[in-house]
Amino acid sequence: MAALEAAGRPWRCAYTSPSLAGQHAALRAGLGITVLPRDMAPADLVVLGESEGLPNLPDAEIALLRARTAVPIAAARLAEFVLSALDRRHALHAAA
């Protein structure tokens, strides 16, 4: 939003959803545009950028926070899976 404002592009919030599937459904219905990592954009959606008059966006960071106390084994395994998937994705992008 700040990047759009800095570029002098008017905007409004047309839809919000806590789920990625809900966001994709809204995009497919033509309700607007959103910001997603490029590799999270489904093949049937168009990736827009500077050539369409949109501002270039900085890289984003993701953080995984864990409790300092013991966590259930399922939570620990999920955290390990997420970190492993992010490491693999990072390695693929670095090699490209």
Side-chain angles (χ1 to χ4, degrees), residues 3 9 11 13 16 20 23 30 36 41 49 51-52 55 57 61 64-65 69 71 75 83 85-86 88-89 92 94:
R9 295 291 308 250
W11 64 272
C13 182
T16 62
L20 185 58
Q23 292 175 33
L36 292 171
S51 60
E52 290 80 22
L57 299 176
E61 293 182 350
L64 176 64
L65 305 176
T69 59
V71 296
L83 292 172
L86 290 171
R88 283 192 305 273
R89 190 168 292 218
L92 287 173

Side-chain angles (χ1 to χ4, degrees), residues 33-49:
I33 62 175
T34 191
V35 175
L36 292 171
R38 186 176 298 273
D39 55 350
M40 289 181 70
D44 63 320
L45 296 177
V46 177
V47 175
L48 305 174

Side-chain angles (χ1 to χ4, degrees), residues 5-6 9-10 26 30-31 40 43 53-54 57 67 72 77 87 90 93 96:
E5 289 173 359
R9 295 291 308 250
L31 292 179
M40 289 181 70
L54 295 171
L57 299 176
R77 288 186 178 158
D87 284 344
H90 178 72
H93 287 261

